[in-house]
Amino acid sequence: YSSETPVYVTSSAAGSATLVYRYWGIIDDKYVEDEARQVISSVDPLVLADINRDGAIDSVDAGCQIAGMPFRFWTNEDTCKGDYIGATNDVSPNASDFRVNGKLDLVNLFPVKVDLERLHAAWDGLATIKLRAWTDNLRYCVLGDLASSDVSRLQTAAIHNVDDGLVESTALTPLDSEGVDLDDVCEEGQHTLMLAFEAAGPVNEWNGPEVVVSLGDSEVFSYRLPLRIASVRDMYRWLNVRDYSGESVSDQSLMGEPVNAPYDELSDKNLLFLHGANVSLSGARTWMDSVFKRLWLSGARARFVGVTWRSDIGTSANYQQNASNAFEVAAYLAPQIAAISGEKVLMAHSLGNMVCSSMIQDHGLQVEKFLMCNSAVPSEAYCGAD
């Protein structure tokens, strides 16, 4: 008796099916029947990111999105600008100027694939197709030479934008609720876009990039990329033991599960990173941010723990005092790390290797692996006079 009856359809795979509505009855003592048919096409997600971090945007990521997994990334709070040589540092976040600030800033971009081929096939130019976002925190550039099968090259190679400029110095366009007409962005005959995004602030599943199809003033279809973007410090654990050496600790240890880490997707392996000498508390945070980002982009599945210890006693000339303190810290830190459940891997830079070596040799810490980066320990300490 209702004039309208809503019918909800879901699909587990791309393809087409026909929905048939049949009805019959008696009218004026006569039997009548009729039917209505509607062809329904389901397509893979139109907006995709590298959810599983394997360096490709493909059907595996489509499956992840359909299963409800969001793409996780960090806001661009970095202040370090330029290339690896001649880098500069100031107080303004890189996301404040709507540009990519050199090669060092590429780590804060994430690629997104927009596939419009099926929409164009279905609507044949009758519809307006836009990309929009219900937030002011996203900005993007259109890429000219990044294949969806090798998107990790965005951070490691000289990638160009659609105007043939290098992405490492390109301007970024804000994406807002007004959106951008994708027909104006695509070249003639092109129906697939690769974009690079930067996030200036948090983004969630409700306000990420969204493809919208309109007929006249009516929106007939939309699909949104499920994102969870927050500070990188919401993605890893933090262990501050600077108080072992007499420093007042206000930045407390955070060993619980970070709010933006997919711990149901990670292994039970813990990767603990210790910095080297002459690193302040704020400097330690920068170290951890950088190491975590590069491990995350490489597809690492371990639970990352950034460990900061007091290695900046006195001036930079007080190296011997900090080297001595490494042994003091090891005695207190070893049992704390031993209490962490799951497999443990140590990774350290410079004098941090003295702390790790002492924990293993002097205090019996059992670890699966020990990765030494620019180790400030003499080689004969490990392999003898030979």
Side-chain angles (χ1 to χ4, degrees), residues 238-243 249-253 281 306-309:
W238 169 249
L239 181 56
N240 185 346
V241 297
R242 301 176 75 91
D243 57 329
V249 173
S250 58
D251 191 355
Q252 296 295 324
S253 299
L281 177 59
V307 182
T308 181
W309 60 288

Side-chain angles (χ1 to χ4, degrees), residues 330-352:
Y332 292 101
L333 182 57
Q336 190 166 355
I337 292 179
I340 297 174
S341 61
E343 192 176 314
K344 289 175 274 290
V345 173
L346 292 181
M347 179 179 178
H349 176 252
S350 190
L351 193 59

Side-chain angles (χ1 to χ4, degrees), residues 132-136 175-178 206-210 219 224:
R132 71 182 179 195
W134 296 102
T135 177
D136 294 327
L175 184 65
D176 55 23
S177 58
E178 289 294 319
W206 310 110
N207 57 14
E210 180 181 34
E219 293 183 6
R224 184 181 296 117

Side-chain angles (χ1 to χ4, degrees), residues 119-132:
L119 289 186
H120 277 277
W123 296 101
D124 195 24
L126 299 174
T128 300
I129 305 173
K130 282 190 171 185
L131 183 70
R132 71 182 179 195

Side-chain angles (χ1 to χ4, degrees), residues 265-283:
E265 302 166 31
L266 300 181
S267 69
D268 64 351
K269 180 179 295 184
N270 300 278
L271 175 58
L272 299 103
F273 177 80
L274 284 77
H275 58 74
N278 297 318
V279 176
S280 65
L281 177 59
S282 61

Side-chain angles (χ1 to χ4, degrees), residues 166-288:
L166 288 171
V167 173
E168 63 203 51
S169 59
T170 193
L172 297 171
T173 302
L175 184 65
D176 55 23
S177 58
E178 289 294 319
V180 57
D181 191 329
L182 290 175
D183 284 334
D184 294 338
V185 178
C186 295
E187 297 180 1
E188 186 174 354
Q190 178 190 17
H191 301 315
T192 301
L193 285 173
M194 290 297 297
L195 308 175
F197 275 92
E198 172 192 73
V203 184
N204 58 40
E205 290 94 330
W206 310 110
N207 57 14
E210 180 181 34
V211 171
V212 183
V213 180
S214 300
L215 289 174
D217 294 330
S218 300
E219 293 183 6
V220 295
F221 175 82
S222 64
Y223 181 82
R224 184 181 296 117
L225 176 65
L227 298 181
R228 287 188 190 171
I229 299 180
S231 170
V232 69
R233 295 174 188 180
D234 290 329
M235 300 180 72
Y236 66 84
R237 290 184 288 175
W238 169 249
L239 181 56
N240 185 346
V241 297
R242 301 176 75 91
D243 57 329
Y244 293 169
S245 307
E247 182 175 301
S248 177
V249 173
S250 58
D251 191 355
Q252 296 295 324
S253 299
L254 302 171
M255 287 298 290
E257 294 188 359
V259 296
N260 196 31
Y263 273 75
D264 53 338
E265 302 166 31
L266 300 181
S267 69
D268 64 351
K269 180 179 295 184
N270 300 278
L271 175 58
L272 299 103
F273 177 80
L274 284 77
H275 58 74
N278 297 318
V279 176
S280 65
L281 177 59
S282 61
R285 271 301 203 178
T286 301
W287 263 99
M288 305 312 165

